Structures are given as C-alpha cells and as structure tokens.
Amino acid sequence: MKVLILEDAAAAAGRVAEIVAARLEARQGVVLGLATGETMRPVYARLVALHREGRADFAGAATFNLDEYVGVGPGHPASFAAFMRETLFDHVNLDPARCRLPRGDAPDPEAEARAYEAAISAAGGIDLQVLGIGRNGHLAFNEPTSSLASRTRIKTLTEATRRANAPAFAPDPVPRHAITMGIATILEARACVLLATGAAKAEAVARMVEGPLGADCPATALQMHPAATVVLDAAAAGRLALREYYETVHPGGAEAVLG
Ligand code: GLP
C-alpha cells in the first residue's frame, strides 16, 4: 500500500484528481470507479477545473459508482446519482449513457445488484477505483463484518452511517439499505486510490493501513490489493504509527525515488 501524506485537504484532493487525470490521459476508454461523500467534492471540483484547462478529457471514458440507496431513484435530490451530476457529470464531457450507478429504485434490487456486477465485467473491469472511507472503516457501503469476498449486493446501513449521511436527506430519514459493490468487486479494480481527510478519519485510516486484516474494518481489505494508493492530509494521517516511514518514502506525497 502506497501512503501519500499531503499538507492539507485541498492538496490531498488535488493529488487524487491528478491521479485520475493521468489515467484519462494514459488510456482512451478508461473505466473509472467513482465514490460519493463530502471528501470527494474537492476532487471532482479539481477534475472539472482540469477539464476546463484541457487537461482531463473524459471522451470515451466509462464510470461505475460504488453504491446507491435502495428506494432512491436518480431523480431524488439526495441520491448519489444527483450528487454525481452536480459535482462532475454535468460539467465534463462524459457520455451520460456510460455513467452507471446502481438503480436504487429498481423493482428487484437483488437482480439490479447482479446486473451491475455483470455490467462492470462487460465493460472490461475497472481500471482505477476512487474510494473514500467511513469513520467505522467501511468502503462504499460495506459496513463492518461485510465479507471480504463479497460482490455487489444489498447491505443494511449502520445507525452511525445513517447519522453521518443524514444532512442530505433531512428532514426525511436516511434509507436503511443500499446497493453496494462488494469488497471483492472493489479489489478486482486494476488500481485503487483512497482519499481520507480530517481528524475524524484518523482512527479508521490507522486501522486500514496498519491494523490486522479483518471484516470489522472492511477497508483493511485494501492491504490485499497490489496497487492501492492511500492519499491523506496531515490530520487523517495523525494516528499512523509508521507515519515517519511513509514520509521518508514519499516526501510531501511525492513518488518514491530509488537509489
Ligand atoms: C458514504 C459512502 C462512502 C464514503 C463515505 C464517507 O457512506 N458510501 O463511499 O466513503 O460515505 O463519506 P464522507 O466523505 O462524506 O466522509
């Protein structure tokens, strides 16, 4: 796992946007896995800015989002589909037909989950998966005790996650279930980049990077991925026991130089 520690949240988000932009440049028809959450807003804002500067061309790219709330259609203002339109899709040259999220309002959510897995495979798999992390160590909506071999399916949300996501739905309650890519689905992406910022994520980050592998912190599964990059600001890196080592290997979040 590559751990890059940047000075602040803006720099960390900018770094993730640059990693995505580099993938767009490297491969026409790239398949991106995308995440929602407050942490991602500055990443997408930076990508939109790069696009306007002519440095992020999404022509031919396809995207698959990690998750969506069950019972919530793409027209619902608190849907992840709406979040993606507002923050990214409406501002760059992505073909809407190639921007997929699970349909939260599908009449048969289990069948939708299976179809979503099949669509990812049919697209040739995900080249780069962008991830955030929940305060309880969840990835996408894979809550603690999710199987590390899980595929796209329905998960029941914890009360802590529902509280964290309450502002988007207020005054209505947050749905109890979500359709989410599984941990094994995420691990199949050819590369993963996870962004965490702020002190509230420091504990989860320390467990993910240095803790024992286990379903009580689903994000630890990234330890098994051969090409996972974790991008942090100083606050989110605050509880890492080996922080000095990561900063020696990647000073200021730079790539490692051999010799
Ligand atoms: C949600 C999403 C996750 C995201 C997490 C953290 O639960 N399903 O993909 O990583 O929230 O969100 P935030 O960035 O708002 O802290």
Side-chain angles (χ1 to χ4, degrees), residues 47-72:
L47 273 173
V48 171
L50 288 173
H51 175 69
R52 290 185 180 145
E53 290 164 20
R55 290 175 53 213
D57 182 7
F58 289 82
T63 69
F64 286 91
N65 262 80
L66 288 166
D67 46 14
E68 184 59 281
Y69 296 100
V70 169
V72 171

Side-chain angles (χ1 to χ4, degrees), residues 34-41 66-69 80 130-135 138-143 157 161 164-165 178 180 194-195 197 201:
L34 298 178
T36 53
E38 293 307 306
T39 313
M40 293 302 146
R41 284 187 192 274
L66 288 166
D67 46 14
E68 184 59 281
Y69 296 100
F80 285 158
V130 178
L131 295 161
I133 185 171
R135 278 172 243 179
H138 72 225
L139 278 190
F141 271 138
N142 293 284
E143 298 282 29
L157 303 179
T161 296
N165 290 295
T180 179
L194 183 144
L195 173 64
T197 54
K201 299 289 174 71

Side-chain angles (χ1 to χ4, degrees), residues 159-247:
E159 284 311 305
T161 296
R162 292 182 69 226
R163 270 197 303 278
N165 290 295
F169 285 90
D172 296 328
V174 179
R176 294 189 177 279
H177 300 95
I179 304 181
T180 179
M181 281 189 205
I183 297 289
T185 319
I186 292 167
L187 291 182
E188 263 175 25
R190 287 182 267 282
C192 290
V193 59
L194 183 144
L195 173 64
T197 54
K201 299 289 174 71
E203 182 67 41
V205 164
R207 293 176 73 199
M208 165 178 70
V209 176
E210 297 172 340
L213 177 69
D216 58 337
C217 181
T220 57
L222 277 189
Q223 294 174 18
M224 311 261 290
H225 197 286
T229 301
V230 174
V231 182
L232 307 171
D233 68 350
R239 300 240 186 149
L240 290 168
L242 299 178
R243 177 173 177 172
E244 222 178 276
Y245 172 65
Y246 312 131
E247 291 184 322

